Each structure stands twice: as structure tokens, then as C-alpha cells.
Amino acid sequence: MVAVAFLVTAVGTATGMVSGLDDRAASDEARPAPTDGRPSPDRDRVPPSSPGSPSAAPAASPSVSTKASASPKPASRSPSPTRTRATTAARLYRHPSSQVLEWVRENPRDWRAGVIESRIADRPAAVWFADYTPATITSRVRAVTSGGAAQGRVPVVVAYAVPERDCGGASQGGAPDLAAYDAWIDRFAAGLGSREVIVVLEPDSIAQSDCLSAAARAGRFASLARAGRVLKAANPRARVYYDAGHSGWNPAAQQAALLRQAGAASAASSDGIFSNVSNFHTTSAEIDYDRQVLAALGGPPGLGAVIDTSRNGNGAPPEGQWCDPAGRKIGQAPTLNTGEPRIDAYLWVKLPGESDGCKGTPGTFSASYAYDLASP
């Protein structure tokens, strides 16, 4: 059974955050999105063999399950000597260009502006690169990473161009084939610079790989493993995280087995996993789930997890709703200091206020939706 899990809707600015796609201006309320793919709601899916209520399936959208796992929490981990961790004083970078920032600048007298600015626009968020544009990808990634380096802050970038993305769903797109994707990754890596940077590598690419044939899945996983190696070789301080879906999707052991095939257990390519991108599962549920995945994954003891907390303040909506569901709220502010063993960061990967497709064109900013999410 497939519900929404990660819908990535094409928009020049990737998931709500910053526009790493191009230099076009963002929109006021809900402007049309480009044809490249980019996350919107995260589809929740619950395979017949897995227990629990439906959650979002691959398409950047919310998910459903909010129940935390009862598995014991592991003791504090010791960072792997092969892994570079951000210092406790490090701060996340807020890129100066995004749809929400543009809306705030253009609408200073709007009655919602104060809340949207203080609770969403002022927070650091990820920058998505969801279009296949080999000629400009290096310079665009470099613009973000150099901006973070100039401020001594850590940028978060999302690589989202894998072929057959979203299994042909609402977030379809990406490179035409794996050879083209490998070349795109090479150029993406060339823009990473030499300072700390967090790379969220291909949301949904692993959790939603069951739509592929065995041969196509093996090819994708080989390219993802290669991608991690290339990114970390280009910048040894880059922290690369792989797709773990979310707590309402695949069982932890199953997801760990897939991650292992994609190189996520290798220190040469991976710093760990990410979960809940564009979804709504509670932070506590994701912490427990991610620890289970990491325990089953194996690999260096320094592997950790990052969690998207942008819209999970009220947990997942009932009955697997994923498209701009009512009653959701922004979650914990982005930080590199979670205080939780094996949880490296809480990030805003999906920007609050960017529509999943019901309050506006998928991937475009809706002030009314942003206000609903941010209001007390």
C-alpha cells in the first residue's frame, strides 16, 4: 500500500529552503514551479508486511506514524576517527535567498509577516539542487558553500537528481541515466569547497527503491555509494547522509539492509542517515527509529543521523494524510547540538510554507500555509 512518502515537486528552489537551482526570483503566495523535480510532501507508505498505520510514501510529504519505538536507546557513541564532526560552537548557515525570505521582503506590512519572518524565515534551512543542469551545478553549489564559509557556518545542501526519481510520481525528474548522474555528482562535489558542509544525498532514493527492477536497483545503489565517495573525497570535511525514509515506512532492519547495499555503512562514503524529510513524524519517533536503523546498519561507530524537524511539531496527521494537512506545526529549530546520542542534527530540510500541492502549486510558497504552521 502506497501513501505519500516524499513528493518532490519541481521548483527552482528545491524543498522550500533556499534556491540552489537557479537565480530566478521566488514567489509571493504560490507561484508556479519549474519542471525539475524537488521535494514537497513525503509519501507515507506501509508495505503489507510492516505493521502500523500508513505513513507517507516517497514524495516529499508528511507521514503518519508518531509512535516512538520502545527499543532501548544506545549509549553515547564515540566519533569515528575517519569522520569529521562539527564543533559544538558551529552554527548552521541561512542562505540569503529563498521563497519565504523573498515573500517577507516583498510583504513587510502583511499581518502575517512578523510571525513568518521570526519563526520561519530567520531559521537556517537546506538548499536543494533538484534540477539536472550539469553546466551550472558546480557554481551554484559553490555559491552556497562559500557563503557558509564566509560566515563560519555550516550549510546544508540536498543533492536530488537521481534517475527515475520518485518512481515517475509527482517529483519525477533527475538525470537521464546513471552515467549522466555520476558526472553530475562529480560536478556537484567540485562545488563543496573545503569547509564543513552537510550533504543530504537523494531523499527517497533508497526507501522508495522497490519500484525498480533488481538490476536497476543495484545500479542505483552502486551510483549512490560512488556519490558518497566522490563527495567526501572532494571535501573530507563534508558530512554525507543517506536516505532512511522515516519511522512510518520500512522496518528498521529492512531499511538498514538497503542502506548497506548503497554504501551507507562505509566510512569512505557515509556519515550516517537522514530521516523524516518533508514528513511529520515526531522527533522522538525518529530518534528511536534512526537508532534502530544505525544499530542494524553496522559500520563505523561514528555514523549518526540527522532528522528533518521542519513540520513535525504536532506529529503526523491521521489516516496517512500528506498533502498540506491541517493542524501541523513547525518542529524543533535547526541545530547541530541535539543532546541525543547518535543524533547529529535537527535540520529544516523541507521549508515550512512550501506547498505539497493542495494549498498551491507543489513546491511553491504559500503565506497562509506558512502562517498556519508557524502561529502559536
Side-chain angles (χ1 to χ4, degrees):
M1 168 181 176
V2 176
V4 215
F6 186 110
L7 198 314
V8 174
T9 48
V11 165
T13 356
T15 294
M17 317 275 161
V18 180
S19 172
L21 301 181
D22 54 38
D23 296 323
R24 289 173 290 179
S27 62
D28 174 88
E29 187 71 6
R31 294 185 186 172
T35 55
D36 347 319
R38 85 172 229 160
S40 148
D42 176 344
R43 298 176 189 165
D44 265 324
R45 60 195 305 237
V46 177
S49 59
S50 67
S53 53
S55 72
S61 99
S63 65
V64 172
S65 158
T66 59
K67 183 177 180 182
S69 164
S71 64
K73 297 179 180 178
S76 299
R77 57 192 167 94
S78 301
S80 166
T82 61
R83 180 177 180 214
T84 302
R85 301 291 305 283
T87 63
T88 55
R91 291 178 295 172
L92 291 164
Y93 174 59
R94 189 197 70 166
H95 191 61
S97 173
S98 70
Q99 292 191 76
V100 64
L101 282 168
E102 181 171 335
W103 183 88
V104 167
R105 291 168 187 146
E106 293 179 352
N107 298 273
R109 297 183 180 179
D110 190 285
W111 61 277
R112 301 162 296 189
V115 167
I116 292 174
E117 179 176 18
S118 63
R119 305 204 70 200
I120 296 179
D122 282 351
R123 304 289 172 87
V127 182
W128 288 74
F129 296 89
D131 55 342
Y132 177 70
T133 52
T136 60
I137 188 64
T138 301
S139 61
R140 286 169 25 234
V141 172
R142 184 180 293 124
V144 176
T145 57
S146 61
Q151 295 183 16
R153 300 189 179 190
V154 181
V156 179
V157 295
V158 182
Y160 192 66
V162 74
E164 299 183 77
R165 187 174 63 196
D166 195 31
C167 294
S171 300
Q172 62 183 291
D177 53 47
L178 290 175
Y181 177 71
D182 291 347
W184 184 86
I185 281 290
D186 292 345
R187 296 186 179 193
F188 185 103
L192 290 179
S194 60
R195 302 289 293 272
E196 289 177 323
V197 56
I198 292 173
V199 181
V200 174
L201 181 61
E202 300 296 341
D204 278 356
S205 61
I206 298 174
Q208 193 193 12
S209 60
D210 57 354
C211 69
L212 303 174
S213 68
R217 186 162 54 249
R220 172 182 288 188
F221 288 173
S223 277
L224 290 174
R226 177 191 181 277
R229 293 192 301 270
V230 167
L231 294 166
K232 293 184 71 63
N235 179 358
R237 301 182 71 187
R239 297 160 63 186
V240 180
Y241 294 90
Y242 281 72
D243 170 41
H246 55 69
S247 58
W249 201 342
N250 294 326
Q254 175 184 335
Q255 188 63 32
L258 296 172
L259 283 157
R260 197 176 304 112
Q261 295 174 51
S266 168
S269 56
S270 170
D271 289 271
I273 62 175
F274 63 82
S275 73
N276 208 44
V277 167
S278 299
N279 221 291
F280 302 86
H281 293 288
T282 62
T283 301
S284 60
E286 293 306 300
I287 288 173
D288 285 344
Y289 173 72
D290 288 347
R291 286 174 176 162
Q292 291 177 54
V293 173
L294 289 169
L297 179 62
L303 296 183
V306 298
I307 298 169
D308 187 351
T309 60
S310 61
R311 305 190 298 178
N312 71 347
N314 276 356
E319 301 177 0
Q321 299 171 35
W322 60 267
C323 189
D324 303 329
R328 301 311 97 198
K329 295 294 179 183
I330 56 175
Q332 290 166 267
T335 180
L336 295 172
N337 303 307
T338 68
E340 292 283 350
R342 305 208 79 172
I343 306 302
D344 294 345
Y346 299 140
L347 304 176
W348 280 15
V349 183
K350 166 77 173 181
L351 186 67
E354 287 202 354
S355 177
D356 297 329
C358 292
K359 292 185 179 294
T361 302
T364 53
F365 181 74
S366 164
S368 60
Y369 184 32
Y371 181 80
D372 288 346
L373 289 166
S375 60

